[in-house]
Amino acid sequence: MSEATGPAVMTETTVPRFARGTRLQYDRVREVWFIQAPERAFHADPVAAEVLQLVDGTRTLGAVIDLLAEKFAAPRTVIAHDVLAMVAELAEKQVLLHA
Amino acid sequence: MSTPPPPMSLLAELTHRCPLQCPYCSNPLMLDPRTQELGTTEWQRVLDEAASMGVLQVHFSGGEPMARPDLPELVRHAAKAGLYSNLITSGVLIRPESLRALADAELDHIQLSFQDVDPTSADRIANMAGAHAKKLEAARLIAAEGIPLTLNFVIHRQNAEHVPAMLELAEQLGARRVEIAHTQYYGWGLLNRDALLPDRAQIDATTEAVTAARARLAGRMSIDFVTPDYYEDRPKPCMGGWGQRFLNITPTGKVLPCHAAETIPNITFPTVREASLAAIWEDAPIFNLFRGTDWMPQPCQSCAFKEEDWGGCRCQALALAGKADAADPVCHKAPDHGQVMQAIAQRPQTPPPFRYRRFGNA
Ligand code: SF4
Ligand code: SF4
């Protein structure tokens, strides 16, 4: 990584993983998903929760997109767009890293 | 009153004992003695209760929480209960073995505090010789262990110029987050206000340093910045609302809506030795006292910001206006705003000596 830039862009060939100290967690009391991170827990919307449940440190984002396109019977381009935008945001927040 | 939402986070103050004596310590002036501290099994029960209520994160704090030998046991218990665990420490008691025990217990994150970047100044603020060197060593051990690290710097008139160097140190030490937090003025901080309160130029300079570093470090290190609200037009929001998100348990088991709430007079503080955490959260008078907006006086009652800042800090209102249910005097609309203006105007040119935080020094 060069000095002046943030994390490298995540593409369909990227294998993402959770940074140490961050994880996805289901909250049984509120019945919603949360992303647990240093000093804050933020609410994961249903789409983010679907994506993050498939992040296991071995799967590529392309494979994640395939699985979701199938599960929701939705156009792959639409899913791909949403997934890549979401992981970019989470990489910026240091939740996801390149495995 | 309707049922409050479940709490999000718990600040567990395991002990008030601490080898340091920071003059802005957030602990109360009357420190809880060791002999009355909650025991291991009491804390374990509290952690289970908190998790089942919906608490997501537990912050183990103090005093210095590493002064408790049962800390790894409590961290492990929190992990089993599904709680995210954070250790808030001065770092001076961290050794390779004690850190290893915490990592093995699945500690999620460490917040390590520094008093300054200059060792002489840092040790003087903490009133402990060699403290700064120990903290640097602790940071290295934490980075080697791979536990995510936040560095915390408390800023005031005697170290504000060093903010750029603090941010550089955080980067060098491999921190993922850094907090640059100006001192708050209640408890020990209020007692030492003349020695701590910065001037306007110092605040502007720290704001600039933080803005520049944020641009430089985007995506690599995030920076939390807390300004002293004395120079703002509106007060800081009270913990996302009194009794809405946050619980504080003191070393002897008192349950508070805010770490400074013990200053509020004429009210009994419920303890986990007498009642369940859920019952306290829902029904204890101290929690319902300032929940929501019904309790608010004017000008807050008819103010557009009342659900944004919740009328500001109750403890600051008490400390400055003498009544916990007044609008926070920091607010430029508050009847007691003159108190804040006066504190700024009467700030001495030369800071007086610190009154250090220790048992019996208040
Ligand atoms: S602020 Fe300083 S004295 Fe207070 S608990 Fe923290 S390290 Fe100890
Ligand atoms: S009047 Fe009350 S609610 Fe409005 S900004 Fe001031 S403190 Fe906040």
Side-chain angles (χ1 to χ4, degrees):
Chain A
M1 197 195 299
S2 81
E3 264 298 291
T5 55
V9 176
M10 291 198 171
T11 65
E12 289 213 18
T13 57
T14 302
V15 176
R17 67 169 174 90
F18 281 93
R20 184 157 169 196
T22 65
R23 61 173 174 265
L24 183 69
Q25 184 175 328
Y26 187 68
D27 173 356
R28 286 170 215 284
V29 174
R30 297 172 189 81
E31 302 184 330
V32 290
W33 291 89
F34 274 92
I35 297 168
Q36 291 269 36
E39 318 244 352
R40 71 198 56 181
F42 41 100
H43 179 224
D45 63 40
V47 182
E50 288 289 345
V51 176
L52 293 174
Q53 284 174 80
L54 296 173
V55 167
D56 62 1
T58 60
R59 228 182 237 120
T60 62
L61 282 172
V64 169
I65 293 164
D66 290 340
L67 286 166
L68 291 174
E70 197 182 296
K71 179 166 179 184
F72 294 101
R76 194 180 185 287
T77 46
V78 175
I79 299 274
H81 176 268
D82 290 356
V83 168
L84 293 175
M86 197 205 87
V87 298
E89 206 181 297
L90 291 175
E92 180 71 22
K93 286 184 179 154
Q94 305 185 75
V95 171
L96 294 181
L97 301 176
H98 294 254
Chain B
M1 181 155 311
S2 57
T3 324
M8 296 286 290
S9 80
L10 165 65
L11 182 70
E13 292 178 346
L14 299 181
T15 180
H16 279 158
R17 288 171 284 139
C18 185
L20 280 63
Q21 304 183 2
C22 311
Y24 45 70
C25 184
S26 65
N27 289 158
L29 298 177
M30 285 291 293
L31 297 164
D32 286 355
R34 175 186 202 151
T35 48
Q36 288 164 34
E37 288 177 7
L38 294 181
T40 310
T41 49
E42 286 174 302
W43 275 115
Q44 287 172 332
R45 170 176 61 81
V46 167
L47 292 170
D48 288 335
E49 288 183 27
S52 65
M53 285 166 75
V55 167
L56 295 172
Q57 300 206 335
V58 58
H59 306 277
F60 291 108
S61 176
E64 175 46 64
M66 294 197 69
R68 293 256 323 203
D70 58 353
L71 181 62
E73 229 176 307
L74 298 178
V75 168
R76 183 172 304 282
H77 199 87
K80 283 212 188 92
L83 293 163
Y84 188 99
S85 59
N86 176 26
L87 172 66
I88 300 177
T89 180
S90 70
V92 298
L93 302 180
I94 289 184
R95 305 283 176 274
E97 321 76 65
S98 55
L99 190 64
R100 174 35 62 92
L102 292 170
D104 288 347
E106 292 175 60
L107 178 67
D108 286 303
H109 175 256
I110 295 180
Q111 184 193 117
L112 175 64
S113 63
F114 278 86
Q115 280 64 24
D116 203 337
V117 281
D118 171 64
T120 312
S121 165
D123 291 353
R124 183 180 71 87
I125 294 166
N127 203 23
M128 177 180 165
H132 188 73
K134 289 202 166 79
K135 287 161 184 277
L136 289 173
E137 180 54 20
R140 284 186 200 106
L141 291 170
I142 294 165
E145 193 63 58
I147 303 176
L149 172 65
T150 292
L151 292 198
N152 164 279
F153 290 93
V154 174
I155 306 303
H156 43 79
R157 68 183 291 183
Q158 304 196 42
N159 67 4
E161 274 69 30
H162 298 160
V163 168
M166 292 169 184
L167 292 164
E168 270 166 39
L169 179 65
E171 202 185 347
Q172 272 167 29
L173 293 174
R176 269 166 59 183
R177 291 179 67 250
V178 56
E179 289 180 3
I180 301 288
H182 275 278
T183 328
Q184 305 296 308
Y185 302 105
Y186 20 78
W188 294 95
L190 185 63
L191 210 60
N192 283 290
R193 187 171 59 187
D194 283 342
L196 296 167
L197 185 67
D199 63 21
R200 167 85 63 184
Q202 286 182 303
I203 300 208
D204 293 345
T206 57
T207 308
E208 264 170 49
V210 168
T211 310
R214 273 190 181 142
R216 190 166 56 85
L217 299 165
R220 286 188 288 150
M221 189 173 89
S222 56
I223 306 173
D224 267 28
F225 181 45
V226 181
T227 55
D229 54 5
Y230 273 46
Y231 291 95
E232 311 267 335
D233 290 340
R234 290 200 271 134
K236 269 194 276 302
C238 162
M239 314 291 319
W242 187 270
Q244 298 292 316
R245 299 171 64 88
F246 178 83
L247 277 166
N248 183 153
I249 302 183
T250 73
T252 56
K254 281 170 274 186
V255 188
L256 308 173
C258 144
H259 58 74
E262 273 185 87
T263 50
I264 295 172
N266 307 323
I267 191 144
T268 38
F269 297 101
T271 89
V272 295
R273 285 182 167 137
E274 294 147 9
S276 76
L277 206 53
I280 293 170
W281 176 254
E282 284 170 24
D283 303 323
I286 183 79
F287 279 88
N288 285 318
L289 206 49
F290 304 120
R291 227 175 215 144
T293 56
D294 289 350
W295 61 271
M296 284 184 181
Q298 292 297 4
C300 301
Q301 198 49 257
S302 46
C303 175
F305 299 117
K306 72 177 176 185
E307 295 200 4
E308 266 175 48
D309 65 28
W310 307 97
C313 172
R314 297 304 89 227
C315 308
Q316 186 149 271
L318 177 71
L320 298 180
K323 328 185 266 284
D325 62 353
D328 187 331
V330 154
C331 179
H332 69 299
K333 292 199 275 183
D336 302 288
H337 186 54
Q339 296 279 346
V340 170
M341 303 304 287
Q342 208 180 3
I344 293 172
Q346 292 176 356
R347 178 181 168 277
Q349 271 309 313
T350 313
F354 288 136
R355 251 171 97 179
Y356 287 111
R357 171 258 197 228
R358 58 174 169 255
F359 287 88
N361 202 32

